[in-house]
Amino acid sequence: MTGTLVVEETDDRVVVTLRRPEARNAINAAMVRELHEVCAAVEQQPRLLLITGAGGTFAAGADIGELRERGRDQALQGINSRLFDRIARLPLPTVAAVDGYALGGGAELTYACDIRLASPAAVFGNPEPGLGILAAAGATWRLRDLVGASVAKQVLLAGRRLDAEEAHRLGLVAEVAPADELLKRAHALLDRMARSGPLALRLTKLVTDAPGGHPLTDDLAQAILFESDDKRTRMDTFLSGGRQ
Ligand code: COA
């Protein structure tokens, strides 16, 4: 337990629970700092990352009390956008398990993760223009990539909130599970990914997120994997009748 997070680490995964019950887990400077510490640990020892929120809320955005006091220079520091970029670039897959509100920066944090799961109570939205600001930590481009420009503009410009069922239908969310099973399902997803070759997962994520250069980047990544002992062992296992 740090100030704003509960962090549980095992050999193959780190589970982070956002926990600021007095502010619906709103992302303040302390949480940003603590999430950077988690990133540093995951970069140092690559593991899967699961992010969730305590108390039936994922996160109700950036902390509005802090946002109110920030000026141009803080905006240019990209306090949330740099953190979410760092999370998006973590070496191994990241999963957000969303129960309740994921609004503003909370939604953007989930957009920066590779896969999202939701409880039926999940709500995604970007109400920033209502506060006189822009969703500047990834929503304008990540959400568009995830659900297309038409729906992204409805969320960003018209305040549309996506409930779990809509988010699932749009592909934003991989699966909807009852709140009391959400973490179990998220861990089952992580278990599945943990059975894959870690270098293969890492390079697949890198190439999928690469801005361009296909198929060269794909070929280079495959060239590395084709030489790995892990690949030979896994294929030998398959060919001898074993299954992953
Ligand atoms: N920043 C700071 N504090 C926040 C917050 C945020 N983003 N979101 C909620 N809180 C605080 C509230 O001020 C309230 O504090 P108080 O008990 O001292 O009055 C507490 O968390 C509970 O929030 P409340 O609004 O009473 O809960 P609710 O269940 O009725 O509504 C939300 C939940 C998420 C719908 C509502 O809190 C909300 O709209 N939050 C702001 C969402 C937003 O605009 N985010 C974008 C920020 S860029």
Side-chain angles (χ1 to χ4, degrees), residues 20-28 57 59-67 80 100-106 108 125-131 133-135 161:
R20 284 190 72 214
E22 72 283 7
R24 296 285 188 270
N25 304 334
I27 301 169
N28 64 356
T57 301
D63 188 286
I64 296 171
E66 290 188 2
L67 276 184
N80 285 355
Y101 289 107
L103 298 178
E108 290 177 305
N126 283 100
E128 283 89 339
L131 292 166
I133 59 170
L134 161 79
R161 291 180 172 191

